[in-house]
Amino acid sequence: MSAERGNKEVKVETRTITEIESEPIYPTGRCGPVLARIPVVVSQSKVHIDIESKVCFDHSVIDIYSHSRNVYLTECKLLNLGSKRYGKIYLNGYVSENIAYAANCLNDRGYEDNKSTSADMLYKTFKLPFECVTKIEYCTCPVFKTSNKFIPVALPDKENNLEDSYFTDERLFCELDEASICESNVARKKRFSGINRGEDICAFDTLTEYMVLSMTFTLLQWQQVRIPGYYPNNPQ
């Protein structure tokens, strides 16, 4: 590259954006009473699920640098008990876990005389499935045409096939509001010690995790609700 091309001037264009005033517009609507069809909160619950997982690595792991986890629900069903206060909900899902770890791959390939202490940085992604059933208390009584049956519950970002006996008036939705994981213990099964001769380095190829998954979820149902009118002189 010539000096002339290397010192070529870069042209930059800028402009100043002027701030202008905005005019507030206050929303208006008809006064009640109104009959509306809206998603109603049927129940909001929190569950704690104990999970034990065993992860097997393909290499001799020296150390784990980072974890990242995401929680996903894959199936949700509500058992209508015919009660106006309680129901049973069945949840299925998985925890997607990403691990970044250091591994000595040369030793696994049979290079026992290798004196290098350098390790490869590798990544592993796996799923930890879970399922549970729990009794929930209704804060708003759901509307069902029949009792003692399973009602499929729609999940966000997931295609839900409607069954023949699934009435649209009974349609339910489940939203995962919050999820947290408390890791109580990690047990590492040693594969061997002293990866490189003369050095006290421990490696393992099996990782056992014990965790508690806490999830808060909300069950909603589309219902027709009569909203009373608002009278300013009435006490709130």
Side-chain angles (χ1 to χ4, degrees):
M1 179 184 293
S2 64
E4 184 178 349
R5 293 183 60 186
N7 296 329
K8 187 176 180 180
E9 222 177 88
V10 179
K11 185 178 180 181
V12 179
E13 293 183 0
T14 62
R15 63 190 180 94
T16 302
I17 301 177
T18 305
E19 181 180 353
I20 60 175
E21 292 186 2
S22 62
E23 179 184 354
I25 299 176
Y26 301 98
T28 59
R30 58 169 294 181
C31 296
V34 177
L35 185 64
R37 185 170 177 81
I38 57 177
V40 175
V41 176
V42 172
S43 175
Q44 190 170 41
S45 308
K46 187 173 186 178
V47 294
H48 305 280
I49 306 171
D50 298 323
I51 301 176
E52 177 183 350
S53 63
K54 185 177 181 181
V55 182
C56 297
F57 295 91
D58 301 328
H59 308 288
S60 303
V61 180
I62 301 173
D63 196 9
I64 294 179
Y65 289 102
S66 65
H67 279 82
S68 63
R69 299 184 179 101
N70 292 302
V71 180
Y72 299 93
L73 288 178
T74 56
E75 187 179 18
C76 181
K77 288 185 178 181
L78 175 68
L79 178 59
N80 179 22
L81 302 174
S83 170
K84 293 184 178 181
R85 291 192 60 190
Y86 300 101
K88 277 191 174 181
I89 196 163
Y90 291 77
L91 298 172
N92 282 276
Y94 63 91
V95 178
S96 178
E97 185 167 2
N98 301 310
I99 292 182
Y101 61 96
N104 192 305
C105 302
L106 291 177
N107 211 9
D108 294 335
R109 300 184 189 119
Y111 297 98
E112 298 180 357
D113 295 331
N114 187 275
K115 303 298 183 181
S116 175
T117 59
S118 62
D120 296 328
M121 178 64 71
L122 301 175
Y123 301 88
K124 189 177 183 69
T125 301
F126 50 91
K127 295 180 180 179
L128 309 177
F130 65 84
E131 60 179 350
C132 68
V133 56
T134 185
K135 187 177 182 180
I136 60 174
E137 183 176 356
Y138 299 141
C139 58
T140 303
C141 184
V143 179
F144 297 124
K145 295 184 177 180
T146 57
S147 60
N148 298 321
K149 61 170 288 188
F150 282 102
I151 307 296
V153 181
L155 296 171
D157 303 327
K158 184 177 182 296
E159 292 184 2
N160 297 272
N161 297 323
L162 304 183
E163 300 176 359
D164 295 336
S165 60
Y166 182 40
F167 300 100
T168 55
D169 291 344
E170 299 178 352
R171 191 167 190 184
L172 293 162
F173 300 86
C174 180
E175 292 185 353
L176 182 60
D177 302 324
E178 185 181 2
S180 62
I181 295 177
C182 176
E183 194 171 37
S184 60
N185 189 20
V186 176
R188 302 179 181 184
K189 181 180 177 182
K190 293 182 181 179
R191 187 172 187 177
F192 50 82
S193 59
I195 292 181
N196 298 293
R197 295 179 179 180
E199 297 186 17
D200 186 16
I201 300 178
C202 294
F204 59 93
D205 62 353
T206 303
L207 180 67
T208 304
E209 295 179 300
Y210 304 91
M211 63 181 71
V212 179
L213 170 62
S214 300
M215 292 192 308
T216 303
F217 61 92
T218 302
L219 200 65
L220 303 104
Q221 184 183 42
W222 283 90
Q223 294 184 7
Q224 288 188 182
V225 180
R226 186 175 295 278
I227 303 175
Y230 170 69
Y231 300 97
N233 296 329
N234 284 3
Q236 295 297 320

